[in-house]
Amino acid sequence: MEVHSMNHTQHRLKGVLFAIIGATLWGLGGTVSDLLFNQRDIEVDWYVTARLLISGIFLLSLYKLLHPKQSMFIVFKKPKTIVSLFIYSLIGMLFVQYAYMASIATGNVAVATLLQYIAPVYIIIWFVIRGLDVFRPFDILAIAMTLIGTFLLLTNGSISHLVVSPTSLFWGIISGLALAFYTIYATGLLEKFPSILIVGWAMIISGCAMSFKHPIWDVSFSNMSASTIIYLIFGIIAGTAFAFYLFIDSLKYLSPKETTLLGTIEPVIAVVTSALWLGVTFQSVQVIGIVLILILILMLSLKKQPEEM
């Protein structure tokens, strides 16, 4: 009994560490992307293409390494599954990745990450519209905090002007909506296939789609400094591929609710590192907005979402 209890504790600790490291790498990856776009002139379209394709290849290779006897192509056996995977890839994965990066490139990683993490509020509203849930006091509070926190963050309390680029705001909202879709729509696929397989193929498919806009080979490394290439490697491998793997793997040891809660570290990392490393400054009223949104994200991660029907 003691051995079983110790193994259980070790597994939970492993899951907690994986989730924390994964979320931290996501946050750092966003900050590195901010630096690459705004200080090293890296093109957003190419970066998204590279990020998706390289991370997708990494995850699928890892799946094959861990499950050598299982085929990576089992998701393509049924036409209905193929259609679902392409919808998930092109509307979910592609828009989540591109809109988030575009919001960073036209603004900063802190605002982009906070706007994306409002996604659970969109999910609440969607379930109510579908008639799968009703507004409860918690939901009203969450929506009110979203509106107030976002207003303070974007305007510093002044109705007359935005302190955030309208383009960054637009892409941040699209990113949050895409993340909401990505979260809801993935359920059916993830019930049938391993997460790493679905995420890996979604990245490959969406990366191939982005290649029509900006091919991965259309880039000149000769003009890049060594530090820029190091940042690119970190942003793509550690901040995307490895972060996804660790976070997905943490689900073996923790419940989805626990991993979601630990995932709230990402926006905190994004805000702190953008301020300390990139020198992004926030005015006093904006800080209040940031705190409100971070509290909201924590509250939402603790809330059990209704099942999709």
Side-chain angles (χ1 to χ4, degrees):
M1 184 67 75
E2 286 183 10
V3 173
H4 175 76
S5 177
M6 188 166 68
N7 286 338
H8 177 71
T9 302
Q10 289 175 343
H11 284 163
R12 281 191 54 79
L13 179 59
K14 187 176 181 180
V16 168
L17 286 174
F18 277 14
I20 289 174
I21 295 169
T24 300
L25 288 174
W26 266 331
L28 290 172
T31 306
V32 166
S33 300
D34 192 330
L35 181 146
L36 288 169
F37 299 147
N38 296 308
Q39 297 182 27
R40 303 300 172 94
D41 297 322
I42 295 297
E43 217 278 330
V44 175
D45 291 353
W46 176 83
Y47 186 70
V48 173
T49 303
R51 199 170 190 241
L52 288 168
L53 287 176
I54 294 172
S55 296
I57 292 168
F58 174 87
L59 291 177
L60 290 181
S61 300
L62 204 55
Y63 175 81
K64 193 61 182 174
L65 188 66
L66 297 172
H67 308 91
K69 295 181 180 179
Q70 297 180 23
S71 171
M72 295 188 299
F73 301 97
I74 53 173
V75 295
F76 297 105
K77 286 188 175 180
K78 295 182 179 178
K80 186 178 178 182
T81 305
I82 295 171
V83 172
S84 295
L85 180 59
F86 269 79
I87 290 172
Y88 173 69
S89 303
L90 300 177
I91 299 178
M93 178 65 76
L94 182 56
F95 272 86
V96 164
Q97 293 290 329
Y98 186 84
Y100 177 55
M101 289 298 151
S103 183
I104 291 174
T106 53
N108 65 66
V109 64
V111 171
T113 307
L114 290 169
L115 288 174
Q116 186 183 68
Y117 263 77
I118 294 171
V121 173
Y122 302 139
I123 293 174
I124 290 171
I125 295 170
W126 172 248
F127 278 125
V128 171
I129 291 172
R130 288 287 307 277
L132 302 175
D133 201 4
V134 294
F135 279 128
R136 295 182 172 85
F138 175 90
D139 302 326
I140 303 299
L141 175 62
I143 292 169
M145 286 180 68
T146 299
L147 293 173
I148 295 169
T150 306
F151 171 76
L152 296 178
L153 172 65
L154 300 177
T155 67
N156 195 40
S158 171
I159 299 174
S160 60
H161 72 284
L162 289 171
V163 292
V164 173
S165 157
T167 308
S168 180
L169 171 59
F170 169 78
W171 283 119
I173 292 171
I174 295 297
S175 174
L177 289 170
L179 181 59
F181 173 84
Y182 174 100
T183 304
I184 296 169
Y185 195 82
T187 307
L189 289 167
L190 295 178
E191 285 174 351
K192 300 173 185 174
F193 305 101
S195 303
I196 190 172
L197 196 59
I198 293 299
V199 172
W201 276 119
M203 285 180 161
I204 293 287
I205 293 167
S206 54
C208 288
M210 271 301 297
S211 293
F212 287 100
K213 186 169 174 57
H214 197 136
I216 191 172
W217 57 83
D218 185 13
V219 63
S220 174
F221 289 105
S222 60
N223 298 326
M224 296 182 191
S225 65
S227 61
T228 298
I229 293 173
I230 291 170
Y231 286 136
L232 280 172
I233 293 170
F234 179 87
I236 292 170
I237 301 299
T240 309
F242 200 55
F244 263 102
Y245 168 69
L246 287 174
F247 206 74
I248 289 169
D249 206 49
S250 71
L251 288 166
K252 291 180 184 176
Y253 314 104
L254 303 173
S255 69
K257 186 173 182 177
E258 288 172 316
T259 56
T260 302
L261 178 60
L262 292 168
T264 59
I265 292 168
E266 181 189 351
V268 176
I269 294 292
V271 171
V272 172
T273 54
S274 66
L276 296 180
W277 185 22
L278 301 182
V280 175
T281 56
F282 301 101
Q283 300 175 55
S284 56
V285 177
Q286 281 185 292
V287 173
I288 296 172
I290 290 170
V291 170
L292 279 175
I293 294 173
L294 290 175
I295 292 171
L296 166 75
I297 292 167
L298 187 63
M299 288 168 55
L300 288 169
S301 71
L302 293 169
K303 181 181 186 293
K304 184 181 186 299
Q305 299 292 350
E307 296 292 328
E308 177 67 284
M309 294 193 296

